[in-house]
Amino acid sequence: MDIGLLGRDETPLFRKVFAVATDPMLVIHMESFNVLDANPPACDLFGYSARQLTGMRYANLGTDPVVFRRALVKKLTAAS
């Protein structure tokens, strides 16, 4: 999962990659660790809309590596 910042550092290329990526991507505020944006694969993975994810703390998403890995394996298995 990629982590980036919105604001002055955001480029058009980043926004395009973020929009079309098939991998789950979250944009996380590096000081508060709140989700600023989520692409559609991340929304599918966590089961929330981008609007619902926005403002949530990253730690509250159950992103413990074991939990995250299980969610990813479940999604990949379902896609097979």
Side-chain angles (χ1 to χ4, degrees), residues 7-74:
R8 286 183 288 211
D9 297 333
E10 181 182 348
T11 65
L13 178 59
F14 171 80
R15 181 49 58 191
K16 179 151 178 99
V17 169
F18 185 79
V20 300
T22 58
D23 293 325
M25 294 175 67
L26 295 174
V27 178
I28 305 294
H29 188 274
M30 297 306 289
E31 292 177 10
S32 67
F33 298 102
N34 286 341
V35 176
L36 299 176
D37 204 353
N39 71 348
C43 295
D44 291 342
L45 178 65
F46 292 110
Y48 294 101
S49 70
R51 185 180 211 183
Q52 291 170 317
L53 282 169
T54 301
M56 292 178 80
R57 288 190 50 84
Y58 180 71
N60 292 342
L61 293 175
T63 52
D64 168 3
V66 173
V67 173
F68 180 73
R69 186 178 65 187
R70 284 184 190 149
L72 189 56
V73 167
K74 181 178 176 184

